[in-house]
Coordinates of all heavy atoms in Angstrom, one line a residue:
Chain P
T29 N 15.3 5.5 1.4 CA 14.0 6.1 1.6 C 13.2 5.2 2.7 O 12.6 5.7 3.7 CB 13.1 6.2 0.4 OG1 13.9 6.9 -0.6 CG2 11.8 6.9 0.6
F32 N 14.6 5.8 6.0 CA 14.2 7.2 6.3 C 12.8 7.2 6.9 O 12.6 7.8 7.9 CB 14.3 8.1 5.1 CG 13.7 9.5 5.3 CD1 14.4 10.4 6.2 CD2 12.6 9.8 4.6 CE1 13.8 11.7 6.3 CE2 12.0 11.1 4.8 CZ 12.6 12.1 5.6
I33 N 11.9 6.6 6.2 CA 10.5 6.5 6.7 C 10.5 5.8 8.1 O 9.8 6.3 9.0 CB 9.6 5.7 5.7 CG1 9.5 6.5 4.3 CG2 8.3 5.5 6.3 CD1 8.8 5.7 3.2
A50 N -1.9 7.6 12.2 CA -2.4 7.5 10.9 C -1.2 7.4 9.9 O -0.2 8.1 10.2 CB -3.4 8.6 10.5
M51 N -1.5 6.8 8.8 CA -0.5 6.8 7.8 C -0.2 8.3 7.3 O 0.8 8.6 6.9 CB -0.9 6.0 6.6 CG -0.8 4.5 6.9 SD 0.8 3.9 7.5 CE 1.6 3.5 5.9
S52 N -1.2 9.1 7.4 CA -1.0 10.5 7.1 C -0.1 11.2 8.0 O 0.6 12.2 7.6 CB -2.4 11.2 7.0 OG -3.0 11.1 8.3
D53 N 0.0 10.8 9.2 CA 1.0 11.3 10.2 C 2.4 11.1 9.7 O 3.3 11.9 9.7 CB 0.9 10.7 11.5 CG -0.5 11.0 12.3 OD1 -1.0 12.2 11.9 OD2 -0.9 10.2 13.1
I54 N 2.6 9.9 9.2 CA 3.9 9.5 8.6 C 4.2 10.3 7.4 O 5.3 10.7 7.2 CB 3.9 8.0 8.3 CG1 3.4 7.1 9.5 CG2 5.2 7.5 7.7 CD1 4.1 7.5 10.8
M55 N 3.2 10.4 6.6 CA 3.4 11.2 5.3 C 3.8 12.6 5.6 O 4.7 13.1 5.0 CB 2.0 11.2 4.6 CG 1.8 11.9 3.4 SD 0.1 12.2 3.1 CE 0.1 13.8 2.5
E56 N 3.2 13.2 6.7 CA 3.5 14.5 7.1 C 5.0 14.6 7.6 O 5.7 15.5 7.3 CB 2.5 15.0 8.1 CG 2.4 16.5 8.1 CD 1.4 16.9 9.3 OE1 0.4 16.2 9.5 OE2 1.6 17.8 10.0
A57 N 5.3 13.7 8.4 CA 6.6 13.7 9.0 C 7.7 13.4 8.0 O 8.8 13.9 8.2 CB 6.7 12.6 10.1
T58 N 7.4 12.7 7.0 CA 8.5 12.4 6.0 C 8.4 13.4 4.8 O 9.3 13.5 4.0 CB 8.3 11.0 5.4 OG1 6.9 10.9 4.8 CG2 8.5 9.9 6.5
K59 N 7.3 14.1 4.7 CA 7.1 15.1 3.6 C 7.0 14.3 2.3 O 7.2 14.8 1.2 CB 8.2 16.2 3.5 CG 8.4 17.0 4.8 CD 7.2 17.9 5.0 CE 7.3 18.7 6.2 NZ 6.0 19.2 6.8
L60 N 6.8 13.0 2.4 CA 6.6 12.2 1.2 C 5.1 12.1 0.9 O 4.3 12.3 1.8 CB 7.1 10.8 1.4 CG 8.6 10.7 1.5 CD1 9.0 9.3 2.0 CD2 9.2 11.0 0.0
S61 N 4.8 11.8 -0.3 CA 3.4 11.6 -0.7 C 2.9 10.3 -0.1 O 3.6 9.4 0.2 CB 3.2 11.6 -2.2 OG 3.7 10.3 -2.7
K62 N 1.6 10.2 0.0 CA 0.9 9.1 0.6 C 1.3 7.8 -0.2 O 1.6 6.8 0.4 CB -0.6 9.3 0.6 CG -1.4 8.2 1.5 CD -2.7 8.8 1.9 CE -2.7 9.5 3.2 NZ -4.1 9.8 3.7
G63 N 1.2 7.9 -1.5 CA 1.5 6.7 -2.3 C 2.9 6.3 -2.1 O 3.2 5.1 -2.2
S64 N 3.7 7.1 -1.9 CA 5.2 6.8 -1.8 C 5.4 5.9 -0.6 O 6.3 4.9 -0.7 CB 6.0 8.1 -1.5 OG 7.3 7.8 -1.7
T65 N 4.7 6.1 0.5 CA 4.9 5.2 1.6 C 4.6 3.7 1.2 O 5.3 2.8 1.6 CB 3.9 5.5 2.8 OG1 4.0 6.9 3.0 CG2 4.4 4.8 4.0
Y66 N 3.6 3.6 0.4 CA 3.2 2.3 0.0 C 4.1 1.7 -1.1 O 3.9 0.5 -1.5 CB 1.8 2.3 -0.5 CG 0.8 2.3 0.7 CD1 0.4 3.5 1.3 CD2 0.5 1.1 1.4 CE1 -0.4 3.5 2.4 CE2 -0.4 1.2 2.5 CZ -0.8 2.4 3.0 OH -1.5 2.4 4.1
V67 N 5.0 2.4 -1.6 CA 6.1 1.9 -2.5 C 7.0 1.0 -1.7 O 7.5 0.0 -2.1 CB 6.8 3.0 -3.2 CG1 8.0 2.4 -4.0 CG2 5.9 3.7 -4.2
H68 N 7.2 1.5 -0.4 CA 8.2 0.8 0.4 C 7.6 -0.2 1.5 O 8.4 -1.0 2.0 CB 9.1 1.9 1.1 CG 9.7 2.7 0.1 ND1 10.8 2.4 -0.6 CD2 9.4 4.0 -0.3 CE1 11.2 3.4 -1.4 NE2 10.3 4.4 -1.3
F69 N 6.3 -0.1 1.7 CA 5.7 -0.9 2.7 C 4.4 -1.4 2.2 O 3.6 -0.6 1.7 CB 5.5 -0.2 4.0 CG 6.8 0.3 4.6 CD1 7.2 1.6 4.3 CD2 7.6 -0.5 5.4 CE1 8.4 2.1 4.8 CE2 8.8 -0.1 5.8 CZ 9.3 1.3 5.6
L75 N 5.0 -1.6 8.1 CA 5.7 -0.4 8.7 C 5.8 -0.5 10.2 O 6.9 -0.4 10.8 CB 5.0 0.9 8.3 CG 5.6 2.1 8.9 CD1 7.1 2.3 8.6 CD2 4.9 3.4 8.4
Chain M
dC35 P -4.6 5.0 8.9 OP1 -3.9 4.4 10.1 OP2 -4.0 6.2 8.3 O5' -4.9 3.8 7.9 C5' -5.5 2.7 8.2 C4' -5.8 1.9 7.0 O4' -6.6 2.6 6.1 C3' -4.5 1.5 6.2 O3' -4.6 0.1 5.8 C2' -4.5 2.4 5.0 C1' -6.0 2.6 4.8 N1 -6.4 4.0 4.1 C2 -7.2 4.0 3.0 O2 -7.7 2.9 2.7 N3 -7.5 5.1 2.5 C4 -7.0 6.3 2.9 N4 -7.4 7.4 2.3 C5 -6.1 6.3 4.0 C6 -5.9 5.1 4.6
dT36 P -3.4 -0.6 5.1 OP1 -3.5 -2.0 5.4 OP2 -2.1 0.1 5.4 O5' -3.8 -0.4 3.6 C5' -5.0 -0.8 3.1 C4' -5.3 -0.4 1.7 O4' -5.4 1.1 1.6 C3' -4.1 -0.7 0.7 O3' -4.6 -1.7 -0.1 C2' -3.8 0.6 0.0 C1' -5.0 1.5 0.4 N1 -4.9 2.9 0.4 C2 -5.5 3.7 -0.6 O2 -6.2 3.2 -1.5 N3 -5.2 5.0 -0.5 C4 -4.5 5.6 0.5 O4 -4.3 6.9 0.5 C5 -3.9 4.8 1.5 C7 -2.9 5.4 2.5 C6 -4.0 3.5 1.3
dT37 P -3.6 -2.2 -1.3 OP1 -4.0 -3.6 -1.6 OP2 -2.2 -1.8 -1.1 O5' -4.2 -1.4 -2.6 C5' -5.6 -1.4 -2.9 C4' -5.9 -0.6 -4.1 O4' -5.7 0.8 -3.9 C3' -4.9 -1.1 -5.3 O3' -5.8 -1.2 -6.4 C2' -4.0 0.1 -5.3 C1' -4.9 1.3 -4.9 N1 -4.2 2.5 -4.3 C2 -4.6 3.7 -4.7 O2 -5.4 3.9 -5.6 N3 -3.8 4.7 -4.1 C4 -2.9 4.7 -3.1 O4 -2.3 5.6 -2.7 C5 -2.5 3.2 -2.7 C7 -1.5 3.0 -1.7 C6 -3.2 2.3 -3.4
dC38 P -5.2 -1.8 -7.7 OP1 -6.2 -2.7 -8.3 OP2 -3.8 -2.3 -7.5 O5' -5.2 -0.5 -8.6 C5' -6.2 0.4 -8.6 C4' -5.9 1.6 -9.4 O4' -5.3 2.7 -8.6 C3' -4.9 1.3 -10.5 O3' -5.6 1.5 -11.8 C2' -3.8 2.4 -10.4 C1' -4.3 3.3 -9.3 N1 -3.3 3.6 -8.3 C2 -3.0 4.9 -8.0 O2 -3.6 5.8 -8.5 N3 -2.0 5.1 -7.0 C4 -1.3 4.1 -6.4 N4 -0.4 4.3 -5.5 C5 -1.6 2.7 -6.8 C6 -2.6 2.5 -7.7
dA39 P -4.8 1.0 -13.1 OP1 -5.8 0.3 -14.0 OP2 -3.6 0.3 -12.8 O5' -4.3 2.4 -13.8 C5' -5.3 3.4 -14.0 C4' -4.7 4.7 -14.3 O4' -3.9 5.1 -13.2 C3' -3.8 4.6 -15.5 O3' -4.0 5.8 -16.2 C2' -2.4 4.5 -14.9 C1' -2.5 5.3 -13.6 N9 -1.7 4.8 -12.5 C8 -1.5 3.5 -12.2 N7 -0.7 3.3 -11.1 C5 -0.4 4.6 -10.7 C6 0.4 5.1 -9.7 N6 1.1 4.4 -8.8 N1 0.5 6.4 -9.6 C2 -0.2 7.2 -10.4 N3 -1.0 6.8 -11.4 C4 -1.1 5.5 -11.5
dT40 P -3.2 6.0 -17.6 OP1 -4.0 6.9 -18.4 OP2 -2.8 4.7 -18.2 O5' -1.9 6.8 -17.2 C5' -2.1 8.0 -16.4 C4' -0.8 8.5 -15.8 O4' -0.3 7.6 -14.8 C3' 0.4 8.5 -16.8 O3' 0.7 9.9 -17.0 C2' 1.5 7.8 -16.1 C1' 1.0 7.7 -14.6 N1 1.6 6.6 -13.8 C2 2.4 6.9 -12.7 O2 2.6 8.1 -12.4 N3 2.9 5.9 -12.0 C4 2.7 4.6 -12.3 O4 3.2 3.8 -11.5 C5 1.9 4.3 -13.4 C7 1.5 2.8 -13.7 C6 1.4 5.3 -14.1
dT41 P 1.8 10.4 -18.0 OP1 1.3 11.6 -18.5 OP2 2.3 9.3 -18.7 O5' 3.0 10.8 -17.0 C5' 2.7 11.6 -15.9 C4' 4.0 11.8 -15.1 O4' 4.3 10.7 -14.4 C3' 5.3 12.3 -15.9 O3' 5.8 13.3 -15.3 C2' 6.1 11.0 -15.9 C1' 5.7 10.4 -14.5 N1 5.9 8.9 -14.4 C2 6.5 8.4 -13.3 O2 7.1 9.1 -12.5 N3 6.6 7.1 -13.2 C4 6.0 6.2 -14.1 O4 6.1 4.9 -13.9 C5 5.3 6.6 -15.2 C7 4.7 5.8 -16.2 C6 5.3 8.0 -15.3
Chain F
dA27 P 12.3 1.1 -5.7 OP1 13.6 0.4 -5.5 OP2 11.0 0.4 -5.1 O5' 12.2 2.6 -5.2 C5' 13.4 3.3 -5.7 C4' 12.9 4.8 -5.9 O4' 12.2 4.9 -7.2 C3' 12.0 5.3 -4.8 O3' 12.3 6.6 -4.4 C2' 10.6 5.2 -5.4 C1' 10.9 5.5 -6.9 N9 10.0 4.9 -7.9 C8 9.6 3.5 -7.9 N7 8.9 3.2 -8.9 C5 8.7 4.4 -9.5 C6 7.9 4.9 -10.7 N6 7.2 4.0 -11.4 N1 7.9 6.1 -11.1 C2 8.7 7.0 -10.3 N3 9.4 6.7 -9.3 C4 9.4 5.4 -8.9
dA28 P 11.5 7.4 -3.4 OP1 12.4 8.4 -2.8 OP2 10.8 6.4 -2.5 O5' 10.4 8.2 -4.2 C5' 10.8 9.1 -5.1 C4' 9.6 9.8 -5.7 O4' 9.0 8.8 -6.6 C3' 8.5 10.2 -4.7 O3' 8.3 11.6 -4.7 C2' 7.3 9.4 -5.1 C1' 7.6 9.0 -6.5 N9 7.0 7.8 -7.0 C8 7.2 6.5 -6.3 N7 6.5 5.5 -7.0 C5 5.9 6.2 -8.1 C6 5.0 5.7 -9.1 N6 4.7 4.4 -9.2 N1 4.6 6.6 -10.0 C2 5.0 7.9 -9.9 N3 5.9 8.4 -8.9 C4 6.2 7.5 -8.0
dT29 P 7.3 12.2 -3.8 OP1 7.8 13.7 -3.6 OP2 7.0 11.4 -2.6 O5' 6.0 12.4 -4.7 C5' 6.1 13.0 -6.1 C4' 4.8 12.8 -6.7 O4' 4.5 11.4 -7.1 C3' 3.5 13.2 -5.8 O3' 2.9 14.3 -6.4 C2' 2.6 12.0 -5.9 C1' 3.1 11.2 -7.1 N1 3.0 9.7 -7.1 C2 2.2 9.1 -8.0 O2 1.6 9.7 -8.9 N3 2.1 7.7 -7.9 C4 2.7 7.0 -7.0 O4 2.6 5.7 -6.9 C5 3.5 7.7 -5.9 C7 4.2 6.9 -4.8 C6 3.6 9.0 -6.0
dG30 P 2.4 15.5 -5.5 OP1 2.8 16.8 -6.1 OP2 2.8 15.3 -4.1 O5' 0.8 15.3 -5.8 C5' 0.3 15.3 -7.1 C4' -1.0 14.6 -7.0 O4' -0.8 13.1 -6.9 C3' -1.9 14.9 -5.8 O3' -3.3 14.7 -6.2 C2' -1.6 13.7 -4.9 C1' -1.6 12.6 -5.9 N9 -1.0 11.3 -5.5 C8 -0.2 11.1 -4.4 N7 0.2 9.8 -4.2 C5 -0.5 9.2 -5.3 C6 -0.5 7.9 -5.7 O6 0.0 6.9 -5.2 N1 -1.4 7.6 -6.9 C2 -2.0 8.7 -7.5 N2 -2.6 8.3 -8.6 N3 -1.9 10.0 -7.1 C4 -1.2 10.2 -6.0
dA31 P -4.2 15.9 -6.0 OP1 -3.5 17.1 -6.7 OP2 -4.7 16.0 -4.7 O5' -5.4 15.4 -7.0 C5' -5.1 14.8 -8.3 C4' -5.9 13.5 -8.6 O4' -5.2 12.5 -7.8 C3' -7.3 13.6 -7.9 O3' -8.1 13.0 -8.9 C2' -7.2 12.7 -6.7 C1' -6.2 11.7 -7.1 N9 -5.4 11.1 -6.0 C8 -4.8 11.8 -4.9 N7 -4.2 11.0 -4.1 C5 -4.4 9.7 -4.6 C6 -3.9 8.4 -4.2 N6 -3.2 8.3 -3.1 N1 -4.2 7.4 -4.9 C2 -4.9 7.6 -6.0 N3 -5.5 8.7 -6.5 C4 -5.1 9.7 -5.7
dA32 P -9.7 13.1 -8.7 OP1 -10.3 13.3 -10.0 OP2 -10.1 14.0 -7.5 O5' -10.0 11.6 -8.2 C5' -9.5 10.5 -9.0 C4' -9.8 9.2 -8.3 O4' -8.8 9.0 -7.2 C3' -11.2 9.2 -7.6 O3' -11.8 7.9 -8.0 C2' -10.9 9.1 -6.1 C1' -9.5 8.5 -6.1 N9 -8.7 8.8 -4.9 C8 -8.5 10.0 -4.3 N7 -7.7 10.0 -3.3 C5 -7.4 8.7 -3.2 C6 -6.6 8.0 -2.2 N6 -6.0 8.7 -1.2 N1 -6.4 6.7 -2.4 C2 -7.1 6.1 -3.4 N3 -7.8 6.7 -4.3 C4 -7.9 7.9 -4.1

Side-chain angles (χ1 to χ4, degrees):
Chain P
T29 306
F32 170 72
I33 294 171
M51 289 304 272
S52 56
D53 294 333
I54 306 313
M55 179 197 139
E56 203 183 321
T58 55
K59 303 289 177 203
L60 287 168
S61 70
K62 193 160 270 189
S64 191
T65 312
Y66 282 90
V67 169
H68 302 285
F69 302 93
L75 174 57

